[in-house]
Amino acid sequence: MSKGELIKNMEVEFSPTWDKRNSKVTYMEAFGRLMAGITPYLGLPEDNTPESIQRKKLKEWAVQSYKNAVDPESPDCLLWNGSNQTLVDAAYIAQSFMRAPEGSWNLLDKTTQQRYIDNFKGLRSIRPAYNNWLLFRAMIETFFCMGRGRSGSFFFIRQP
């Protein structure tokens, strides 16, 4: 993804029971979950060990991948609207920023940060069901509350 080739090269297989939603959600799902898992490792302090040198390279690839995910000119710009599933997968990206900002959010340029803020805000149009999807909404709103994208307004859940 750091080369802008994720969508071109990632083979996607679907279950026979696939619900026919927009298949482009799979790329954000893969990226979001990967980054949520790897950012604590990327946020570790650097030193001169071979592992740290390798981690530094992974961090560079991650930063470029984060940029490509929201750059409308990138072939790997992810699907940020058109599917409710995006709320779930974007929450993992927000989680990656919260888990280790020093290995993710703090390394991004201001334009890329603003693109994430804008895309996260755009997901507020998705009304989560009264189930575990409330947690995905909460992860994104928590990101805003942590001061890494103050929004000025908050999404409130209405009870059914």
Side-chain angles (χ1 to χ4, degrees):
M1 188 163 175
S2 64
K3 295 179 181 179
E5 297 178 353
L6 175 72
I7 293 173
K8 174 182 149 189
N9 293 326
M10 183 176 150
E11 290 187 33
V12 178
E13 294 183 20
F14 299 101
S15 160
T17 60
W18 174 253
D19 62 6
K20 307 297 186 239
R21 70 185 129 183
N22 191 329
S23 62
K24 291 182 180 178
V25 299
T26 57
Y27 305 110
M28 185 183 288
E29 179 179 15
F31 178 67
R33 292 170 193 241
L34 171 68
M35 299 316 291
I38 199 171
T39 51
Y41 176 72
L42 298 178
L44 293 174
E46 293 182 13
D47 54 35
N48 292 322
T49 63
E51 180 182 350
S52 182
I53 293 167
Q54 181 181 13
R55 185 172 51 251
K56 183 177 180 182
K57 186 64 178 168
L58 288 173
K59 195 182 306 186
E60 291 169 7
W61 290 341
V63 167
Q64 188 58 50
S65 296
Y66 276 122
K67 289 179 182 182
N68 288 344
V70 292
D71 180 356
E73 301 299 316
S74 171
D76 279 345
C77 186
L78 299 175
L79 179 71
W80 287 94
N81 55 47
S83 173
N84 288 353
Q85 181 65 31
T86 304
L87 174 65
V88 174
D89 302 325
Y92 283 96
I93 296 173
Q95 182 186 30
S96 76
F97 294 149
M98 293 184 290
R99 289 188 78 193
E102 64 283 353
S104 58
W105 182 257
N106 295 348
L107 302 175
L108 301 178
D109 60 79
K110 296 297 180 195
T111 299
T112 301
Q113 289 178 344
Q114 190 60 52
R115 286 176 175 161
Y116 275 102
I117 291 167
D118 294 344
N119 282 313
F120 288 153
K121 284 181 182 179
L123 296 174
R124 288 177 169 164
S125 65
I126 299 172
R127 301 293 185 221
Y130 198 70
N131 57 26
N132 66 321
W133 277 44
L134 295 174
L135 299 174
F136 297 117
R137 162 70 66 222
M139 288 170 65
I140 293 172
E141 294 303 322
T142 301
F143 166 78
F144 285 124
C145 292
M146 290 183 70
R148 294 179 180 88
R150 296 233 180 253
S151 65
S153 62
F154 293 91
F155 173 85
F156 292 98
I157 311 289
R158 289 189 208 124
Q159 294 280 338

